[in-house]
Amino acid sequence: MRSDLCSGTLPARKHLPAAWAGTPVLDVVVPVFNEEEDLRPCVRRLHEHLTRTFPYAFRITIADNASTDGTPAVATDLARRIEEVRSVRLERKGRGRALRTVWSASDAPVLAYMDVDLSTDLNALLPLVAPLISGHSDLAIGSRLSRGARVVRGAKREVISRGYNLILRGSLQARFSDAQCGFKAIRRDVAQVLLPLVEDSGWFFDTELLVLAERAGLRIHEVPVDWVDDPDSTVHIVRTAAEDLKGVWRVGRALATGALPLDRLARPFGDDPRDRELADVPGGLARQLVGFCAVGVLSTVFYLLLYSAFRAVTGAQLANGLALLVSAVANTAANRRLTFRVRGRGGMVRHQAQGLVVLAIGLALTSGSLAALDMASSDPARSTELAVLVAANLAATVLRFLLFRAWVFPDRGQARAGDTDPRPTGVTPARTATGYGATAPVPGPLGASSATQAAPPRRGAASAAPGRAAPWTASEAGPAPRPDTPAVTPARPPLPSRPAPQADDDPRTTR
């Protein structure tokens, strides 16, 4: 599995045109479970903020996670009264399940979500989605732990949050600062190929999504936020932490074994016209050189130790051959995993066989050097032997890197013409009941013909179809659930003008 490729199924990021027509540009999902008291004022506050500050058409989707109180009725009433609000009912709980379901069915090019308590200051919403609209980034997250963030919460939650992110950095090598802030956004074309790889359907959904995106080389934009803890939060900290640690173990194991085909998420180099004129430019050369040199230094030390051990019991030529054989197998395995980032067992035997051919070339160089030394001196000193072998190995190392890069581990971008993978371009690997690696068709990414769209609708339009979509019910049937087709109600007379905001619409000031 290669994650540093210069091409993949994702096209180059492009700025969404200002004349985007037919659908909202932003779809903000608000997952809720038994939030009948907070739902109405929070949605009204969010709607008022977007209407006042967001320059594109938008939609607010209430994702009801099988609530048992009056939340469904409140959500339905909000969808009936406010044109830009719709309601989705799921019969099973899980924040990840709700986001996967709604995001998979949404037609908006930018997808976001936030917690219903609106703990995060809404002034960070436009900075959150702006890099996705402009084409600069693939995902965006609000961060309570980055420089510039202002956070009000108790010591217990502060310690748990920082400890969890330290675990992610140490175990999964995550570089983003805050995995679980309920304030995130993603481009729809990225979500279409990334969501089938995400297995979790609960609170770990965010973390798994971010880790896979980062490992695939996608760009994650972080926005420092102002965040005030909700003292009435119903999140069970201990149970959630235990589930998250299980998720960390599962994802870490999948990454270590190469079970995730993240190379299919690679982006082209860029969208600048000059980039398309660049031909035969090696991808990741600097990183590969650093990795190869590090592996080479360790392999040389390992080889010299082996040679010294074998030389104590046998002749120079046999000791050299045995030391080269053992160190070459280890060198090929290390370069396969660390330098060229090939995961899994596929092609391992072929790579080792090609590595042995490269070994034969190195053996010829070093053995020839020893033969020349024997011809020059009948009894050379052991230190002279080692010096000659070091010089010969340096020459063999340069040749080994070139052969590894061009022949043993060629760049998939150059070898794509001979790729025998039967999966078409519009198909991305998905997880199955037995793990990752199966294929599942997904729609193609948006934006290919957006420049030819008609004139933009008025801001806030929720749908291009006549009438407004009624609340619909989604059910999960498989690893990548898709909601049922939304039912469209017949057109009805226009509603009277909206009344002035009531007292319960004001933002809460006690949290």
Side-chain angles (χ1 to χ4, degrees):
M1 187 268 294
R2 299 281 300 278
S3 61
D4 60 338
L5 308 179
C6 59
S7 61
T9 57
L10 290 174
R13 290 182 295 263
K14 294 184 179 180
H15 194 301
L16 296 177
W20 187 276
T23 59
V25 169
L26 174 66
D27 191 349
V28 182
V29 182
V30 183
V32 292
F33 174 73
N34 291 348
E35 298 283 356
E36 60 178 342
E37 294 183 2
D38 292 339
L39 180 57
R40 188 183 303 276
C42 289
V43 169
R44 286 193 176 275
R45 178 184 166 196
L46 173 60
H47 178 262
E48 186 276 332
H49 177 84
L50 287 171
T51 303
R52 178 169 48 85
T53 65
F54 194 68
Y56 290 88
F58 65 86
R59 177 195 299 134
I60 300 173
T61 301
I62 304 171
D64 176 25
N65 283 252
S67 294
T68 56
D69 62 355
T71 299
V74 175
T76 302
D77 182 66
L78 287 169
R80 180 177 64 85
R81 292 178 177 275
I82 305 176
E83 184 178 3
E84 294 82 19
V85 175
R86 68 168 179 170
S87 172
V88 177
R89 168 75 177 181
L90 287 88
E91 299 303 329
R92 297 178 63 188
K93 291 178 59 178
R95 182 178 68 175
R97 178 178 290 108
L99 294 178
R100 184 202 312 278
T101 302
V102 178
W103 281 356
S104 298
S106 180
D107 52 359
V110 176
L111 311 169
Y113 97 89
M114 63 182 61
D115 294 335
V116 69
D117 56 18
L118 299 186
S119 295
T120 305
D121 183 12
L122 292 178
N123 287 327
L125 182 56
L126 185 55
L128 183 80
V129 301
L132 309 186
I133 295 175
S134 69
H136 174 270
S137 302
D138 299 293
L139 298 92
I141 64 174
S143 174
R144 300 162 294 185
L145 303 178
S146 63
R147 186 181 301 273
R150 298 188 300 178
V151 178
V152 178
R153 62 177 167 183
K156 179 181 178 181
R157 287 181 176 270
E158 182 75 13
V159 170
I160 291 176
S161 178
R162 292 187 179 275
Y164 178 68
N165 283 279
L166 285 176
I167 291 174
L168 294 181
R169 289 177 177 272
S171 59
L172 300 180
Q173 301 178 355
R175 295 190 298 272
F176 47 84
S177 63
D178 193 351
Q180 289 198 319
C181 179
F183 199 71
K184 294 182 176 68
I186 185 173
R187 286 177 65 99
R188 177 175 175 260
D189 56 349
V190 177
Q192 287 177 329
V193 294
L194 188 57
L195 288 179
L197 299 178
V198 179
E199 182 174 340
D200 191 79
S201 59
W203 291 98
F204 188 69
F205 175 89
D206 306 50
T207 302
E208 186 171 357
L209 185 77
L210 291 174
V211 169
L212 299 187
E214 186 176 71
R215 287 298 187 94
L218 300 180
R219 182 175 294 157
I220 301 175
H221 177 73
E222 293 197 22
V223 178
V225 298
D226 297 343
W227 193 85
V228 179
D229 187 19
D230 179 10
D232 297 329
S233 174
T234 58
V235 177
H236 194 290
I237 297 178
V238 176
R239 182 172 63 247
T240 301
E243 293 175 354
D244 287 346
L245 292 177
K246 292 179 182 178
V248 169
W249 168 257
R250 173 177 52 79
V251 172
R253 182 177 56 185
L255 291 172
T257 59
L260 296 167
L262 300 181
D263 56 318
R264 294 184 171 271
L265 295 174
R267 286 281 194 188
F269 182 75
D271 191 43
D272 192 306
R274 294 170 296 180
D275 300 334
R276 291 187 283 272
E277 298 173 1
L278 300 176
D280 301 325
V281 177
L285 177 60
R287 184 196 57 77
Q288 290 178 356
L289 277 173
V290 173
F292 185 82
C293 289
V295 172
V297 170
L298 296 177
S299 297
T300 301
V301 174
F302 185 47
Y303 161 80
L304 293 176
L305 292 175
L306 289 174
Y307 176 80
S308 299
F310 290 141
R311 186 67 177 87
V313 295
T314 186
Q317 293 289 0
L318 182 58
N320 176 60
L322 291 175
L324 273 177
L325 177 62
V326 176
S327 61
V329 172
N331 181 276
T332 300
N335 277 305
R336 183 179 189 269
R337 174 67 174 82
L338 302 176
T339 303
F340 299 97
R341 294 187 176 179
V342 179
R343 309 290 195 267
R345 299 182 178 180
M348 182 182 297
V349 176
R350 175 174 57 83
H351 292 155
Q352 285 292 351
Q354 291 172 317
L356 291 178
V357 174
V358 177
L359 163 67
I361 299 174
L363 180 62
L365 286 174
T366 54
S367 297
S369 300
L370 285 175
L373 179 62
D374 289 338
M375 293 177 61
S377 176
S378 59
D379 188 19
R382 188 66 54 83
S383 59
T384 305
E385 279 187 359
L386 291 177
V388 170
L389 287 174
V390 169
N393 268 289
L394 288 176
T397 297
V398 175
L399 183 60
R400 185 184 304 119
F401 176 75
L402 296 176
L403 290 175
F404 272 2
R405 182 175 174 82
W407 180 47
V408 183
F409 308 109
D411 193 289
R412 284 280 296 275
Q414 300 173 359
R416 193 167 296 279
D419 195 350
T420 59
D421 193 339
R423 289 174 287 200
T425 302
V427 176
T428 184
R431 59 182 176 80
T432 63
T434 59
Y436 298 93
T439 59
V442 296
L446 286 178
S449 60
S450 58
T452 61
Q453 298 284 355
R458 65 181 180 84
R459 186 182 65 175
S463 174
R468 181 148 67 256
W472 44 272
T473 301
S475 61
E476 183 185 47
R482 298 280 181 172
D484 298 334
T485 302
V488 179
T489 59
R492 48 188 171 81
L495 293 172
S497 58
R498 298 190 189 116
Q502 301 299 319
D504 64 349
D505 296 338
D506 295 335
R508 291 167 292 167
T509 58
T510 60
R511 296 186 177 177

